[in-house]
């Protein structure tokens, strides 16, 4: 399966307009944003867990990155409310579930060789204090290893965004909206910009809050998919 596989082209996907695709686990459905492969895939998705649903134990052979969007995500290690961010490096495993239902943003098989630090940040926890952006926005850093950085960024009502993109950039609108040229990005709109294409937009009347990742859209040493 190939979905938005051309990393050289800018893309914006309005996830709320996509159909939910069932996963192998009952009650767990996906909106596929990027995918190269079948059930084992290099993939970016929004995943919905119905109340009481669970996924069987599995090993993250290619790594897993998650942001909880709504509800409470759970596994045998704890409960993760909306706003929780974590990275499960290659070789880790768990039994994901949600007693009351939840929605999460997930990236699979996109870790590079040597990215082996497990990170869990619950709402309000970050790697640094808020910092200001040149365009007036603010950033709460979640992760930065020198190869890629991940943050929650916010802009005020009608702010003009101008985010430099020297290496590659991916984003997910968490709340508010923004106009990208003539295209309106709303909650759960996801985008990806190749290196050299700066992120320029105008925040809407409710401001804008986004998950942002800076770094290669595919690391040169990304973990290889199984044959």
């Amino acid at each position: 399966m190939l979905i938005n596989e051309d990393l050289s082209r800018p893309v914006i996907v309005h996830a709320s307009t996509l159909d939910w695709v069932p996963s192998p686990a009952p009650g767990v459905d996906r909106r596929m944003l990027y995918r190269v492969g079948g059930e084992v895939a290099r993939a970016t998705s929004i995943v919905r867990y119905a109340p009481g649903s669970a996924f069987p134990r599995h090993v993250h052979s290619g790594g897993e990155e998650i942001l909880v969007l709504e509800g409470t995500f759970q596994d045998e290690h704890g409960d993760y409310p909306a706003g929780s961010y974590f990275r499960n490096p290659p070789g880790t495993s768990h039994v994901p579930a949600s007693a009351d239902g939840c929605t999460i943003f997930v990236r699979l098989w996109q870790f590079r060789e040597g990215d082996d630090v497990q990170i869990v940040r619950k709402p309000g926890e970050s790697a640094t204090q808020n910092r200001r952006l040149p365009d007036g926005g603010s950033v709460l850093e979640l992760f930065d290893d020198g190869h890629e950085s991940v943050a929650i960024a916010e802009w005020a009502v009608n702010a003009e965004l101008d985010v430099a993109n020297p290496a590659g950039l991916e984003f997910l609108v968490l709340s508010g909206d923004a106009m990208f040229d003539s295209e309106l990005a709303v909650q759960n709109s996801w985008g990806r910009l190749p290196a050299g294409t700066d992120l320029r937009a105008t925040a809407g009347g409710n401001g804008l809050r986004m998950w942002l990742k800076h770094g290669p859209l595919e690391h040169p040493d990304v973990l290889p998919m199984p044959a």
Side-chain angles (χ1 to χ4, degrees), residues 10-14 155 159-163 169-173 175-187 189-193 197-204 208-212:
V11 61
I12 294 179
V13 178
H14 304 294
W155 287 268
E160 296 292 333
L161 284 64
D162 188 359
V163 180
L169 188 149
E170 186 177 341
F171 65 87
L172 179 73
V173 176
S175 62
D177 55 69
M179 187 66 72
F180 292 78
D181 293 326
S182 59
E183 189 161 6
L184 182 65
V186 297
Q187 186 177 29
S189 291
W190 169 84
R192 190 182 62 206
L193 301 175
T197 302
D198 294 345
L199 189 160
R200 293 191 174 96
T202 302
L208 178 67
R209 187 167 182 263
M210 292 200 301
W211 173 93
L212 277 181

Side-chain angles (χ1 to χ4, degrees), residues 15-223:
S16 61
T17 67
L18 300 179
D19 293 333
W20 289 104
V21 178
S23 79
V28 182
D29 301 316
R30 303 162 290 186
R31 282 174 164 160
M32 299 180 180
L33 307 173
Y34 160 64
R35 197 170 191 90
V36 177
E39 274 308 320
V40 177
R42 209 177 300 287
T44 301
S45 308
I46 291 178
V47 180
R48 178 182 64 184
Y49 282 73
S53 61
F55 214 91
R57 176 173 296 280
H58 56 277
V59 176
H60 306 118
S61 300
E64 175 186 62
E65 182 178 13
I66 291 177
L67 178 69
V68 182
L69 302 177
E70 298 176 356
T72 300
F73 180 74
Q74 299 165 305
D75 63 14
E76 66 272 34
H77 307 296
D79 294 350
Y80 310 98
S84 297
Y85 170 80
F86 48 100
R87 300 172 66 89
N88 291 321
T92 57
S93 69
H94 66 164
V95 181
S98 183
D100 299 322
C102 71
T103 305
I104 61 176
F105 174 66
V106 186
R107 301 174 81 254
L108 299 172
W109 279 99
Q110 297 181 60
F111 277 48
R112 60 177 181 80
E113 296 276 1
D115 188 349
D116 57 4
V117 177
Q118 189 163 28
I119 290 175
V120 178
R121 300 201 191 283
K122 293 191 177 181
E125 299 175 353
S126 73
T128 63
Q129 296 296 314
N130 270 25
R131 61 182 175 84
R132 304 298 297 182
L133 294 172
D135 60 9
S138 65
V139 166
L140 185 67
E141 183 181 288
L142 299 174
F143 175 77
D144 188 344
D145 67 351
H147 298 272
E148 65 179 74
S149 64
V150 181
I152 302 297
E154 297 189 49
W155 287 268
V157 172
N158 299 328
E160 296 292 333
L161 284 64
D162 188 359
V163 180
N165 176 23
L169 188 149
E170 186 177 341
F171 65 87
L172 179 73
V173 176
L174 303 177
S175 62
D177 55 69
M179 187 66 72
F180 292 78
D181 293 326
S182 59
E183 189 161 6
L184 182 65
V186 297
Q187 186 177 29
N188 289 343
S189 291
W190 169 84
R192 190 182 62 206
L193 301 175
T197 302
D198 294 345
L199 189 160
R200 293 191 174 96
T202 302
N206 294 310
L208 178 67
R209 187 167 182 263
M210 292 200 301
W211 173 93
L212 277 181
K213 177 185 286 285
H214 286 271
L217 301 182
E218 183 174 293
H219 290 288
D221 53 351
V222 66
L223 289 163

